[in-house]
Amino acid sequence: MTPSLTSLGAAPAVPAAWPQTLPPDLLAGLDVPTPFLAGDLGLVADRFHRFGAALPRVRPHYAVKCNSAPEVLRTVHAVGGGFEIASLGELHMLLDVGVDPAGVLYSNTVKPASHVAAAADAGLWRFSADSEGELHKIAREAPGSAVYIRVRVDDSGSVFPLSRKFGAEAHHARALLHEAERLGLQPYGLTFHVGSQCVATSAWRQALAAVARLMRQLQRDGIRLEMLDIGGGFPARYGDPVPTIDQIGEVVEKSLDELLPYQPPLVVAEPGRHMVAETAVMVTTVLGREERAGEEWLYVDVGAYNGFMETQQSVGQWRFPLWSSRADHDVVEQVAFTVTGPSCDSSDTMFYGAALPVTMAEGDRLFIASAGAYTLSYASSFNGFPPPATWYRRSR
Ligand SMILES: Cc1ncc(COP(=O)(O)O)c(C=O)c1O
């Protein structure tokens, strides 16, 4: 959906705290009901260009789960990005925007059998796995396809660790590639994920060191990797500083050079959050303000259930940049608010101790920046409050 420029209205004033990366006229003419996510496709394209400059050897396969708005998928496709999916549903989203399944990676390690079969029928041929059971499933449903094994790595430097649910220990990953061969599959590669919103650049070096050891053992066994997939985890900027993509690129590129016994023909990554989080802002309206036992509460029309589920998974671990539409935003005293969503459930609450103008009142708008990742894709219609509308436009 592109913004309807026929619904021109007064553009909200751009507050002083507007994040540098967002175009100042992003909301111009967007006189539409809240809540909505407003994003800039030029920024999405820019992220891919910067990723390419920082990691010239690594081809990004965008993680569709992160933000699957068709405009975003089309932009990624147009700038030459590849894709990574978690389900057949995500493959259908890609088919709808003209992506060839043959270039898509299916990286969910435990998949519904019917999704494997249908993806293979559509032309997808590379699947990840981290267990014998999954290899047997792939051999049965998509015979002869290529598999890459997910290795468990240290993800303690991330906000959202993934290694408890996914990944095989190195010795097991080695056995799995042999088993793949026995089952008539192509032992194609290895993958890992350092955890989402990883802020420790050392995590990539450690993971690559572990993979390099495994590659040496596999080489002795007569298996050479066609693909090394370094996964996602590249962080986005919320309230606190994070390593830049250039800093991460330096560590990754150096580690690939120094640690690997040979360079696999294909090195890919599966970035999600880093590519889209900072490209969009959520625009919400204050429904009410109440004081409860000395605590200042703001009730807004977006909450954990219809957009900010991640605030439930990482309570207090990071802060979204917030500001308001109030003309006195930068002038009056700021006080700590508890910011909650519109539903009848208290776990709909997103932010605690959020500093906002003491004057905040019903009808004011609250802007939540860095909202482009894992918001819409998680949103439900709980309590009859639907997911926010999406307005992506291109500033350049
Ligand atoms: C297999 C896989 N690849 C890539 C990603 C994207 O990770 P991120 O958004 O942290 O870059 C995820 C996220 O959960 C994932 O599970």
Side-chain angles (χ1 to χ4, degrees):
M1 241 194 315
T2 47
S4 155
L5 294 176
T6 52
S7 63
L8 284 174
V14 173
W18 187 268
Q20 294 293 308
T21 44
L22 293 174
D25 60 350
L26 183 68
L27 303 181
L30 260 183
D31 185 24
V32 294
T34 62
F36 63 88
L37 184 79
D40 183 61
L41 297 171
L43 290 178
V44 176
D46 197 48
R47 284 270 148 163
F48 277 81
H49 295 313
R50 281 167 193 253
F51 189 96
L55 295 112
R57 186 170 352 175
V58 183
R59 176 154 198 256
H61 278 248
Y62 173 65
V64 173
K65 62 186 73 97
C66 187
N67 180 335
S68 51
E71 306 91 318
V72 170
L73 300 181
R74 267 189 223 105
T75 303
V76 174
H77 193 35
V79 296
F83 294 92
E84 175 271 325
I85 58 163
S87 69
L88 185 61
E90 288 187 347
L91 185 61
H92 287 153
M93 293 175 195
L94 293 176
L95 289 170
D96 286 348
V97 298
V99 173
D100 180 359
V104 176
L105 296 170
Y106 197 155
S107 294
N108 193 344
T109 59
V110 184
K111 300 167 275 298
S114 60
H115 291 211
V116 175
D121 281 349
L124 188 149
W125 58 283
R126 292 172 294 184
F127 298 87
S128 83
D130 57 8
S131 66
E132 278 79 7
E134 192 68 10
L135 286 180
H136 283 264
K137 185 193 295 167
I138 296 168
R140 188 181 73 229
E141 305 292 340
S145 52
V147 289
Y148 49 105
I149 303 299
R150 179 145 165 188
V151 186
R152 182 174 299 156
V153 295
D154 181 1
D155 57 6
S156 55
S158 70
V159 175
F160 298 102
L162 293 159
S163 287
R164 202 170 145 209
K165 177 162 174 178
F166 300 110
E169 296 300 340
H171 67 275
H172 189 198
R174 182 180 176 185
L176 288 171
L177 281 174
H178 286 290
E179 177 69 1
E181 228 173 7
R182 270 193 294 277
L183 292 169
L185 298 166
Q186 186 190 344
Y188 184 70
L190 292 173
T191 185
F192 60 82
H193 197 304
V194 291
S196 201
Q197 186 71 359
C198 180
V199 292
T201 54
S202 56
W204 279 275
R205 187 162 179 98
Q206 273 171 31
L208 284 166
V211 160
R213 276 192 296 278
L214 186 50
M215 283 172 71
R216 265 187 217 98
Q217 291 165 349
L218 288 163
Q219 198 177 15
R220 282 198 292 275
D221 298 346
I223 294 179
R224 265 179 92 87
L225 302 191
E226 284 297 313
M227 180 183 79
L228 173 60
D229 177 348
I230 66 170
F234 306 90
R237 192 163 52 96
Y238 293 85
D240 299 313
V242 293
T244 64
I245 198 63
D246 290 332
Q247 288 168 331
I248 296 170
E250 208 180 311
V251 171
V252 169
E253 290 282 326
K254 204 157 170 255
S255 304
L256 291 172
D257 274 339
E258 290 176 357
L259 303 176
L260 300 192
Y262 60 91
Q263 297 301 314
L266 187 58
V267 181
V268 306
E270 301 177 352
R273 184 186 304 279
H274 178 78
M275 300 317 215
V276 289
E278 292 168 53
T279 68
V281 58
M282 191 72 79
V283 183
T284 75
T285 300
V286 176
L287 305 175
R289 172 181 174 172
E290 300 298 334
E291 191 195 318
R292 312 239 186 243
E295 190 179 355
E296 291 288 355
W297 286 77
L298 277 187
Y299 296 72
V300 299
D301 60 8
V302 76
Y305 295 109
N306 64 340
F308 285 88
M309 186 56 88
E310 276 204 321
T311 61
Q312 299 301 295
Q313 299 169 312
S314 57
V315 179
Q317 284 206 49
W318 87 68
R319 296 173 290 118
F320 282 79
L322 300 179
W323 71 98
S324 77
S325 61
R326 291 202 62 82
D328 58 7
H329 183 99
D330 289 323
V331 183
V332 294
E333 183 197 351
Q334 305 230 327
V335 296
F337 283 94
T338 300
V339 183
T340 194
S343 80
C344 276
D345 196 327
S346 63
S347 57
D348 201 8
T349 303
M350 301 175 288
F351 312 119
Y352 298 89
L356 287 164
V358 67
T359 45
M360 290 296 290
E362 180 188 350
D364 286 339
R365 284 191 168 186
L366 178 71
F367 303 97
I368 308 172
S370 295
Y374 300 109
T375 48
L376 298 175
S377 47
Y378 269 137
S380 78
S381 291
F382 178 59
N383 260 193
F385 294 103
T390 313
W391 300 97
Y392 265 98
R393 60 208 323 188
R394 179 179 274 277
S395 63
R396 59 195 130 113

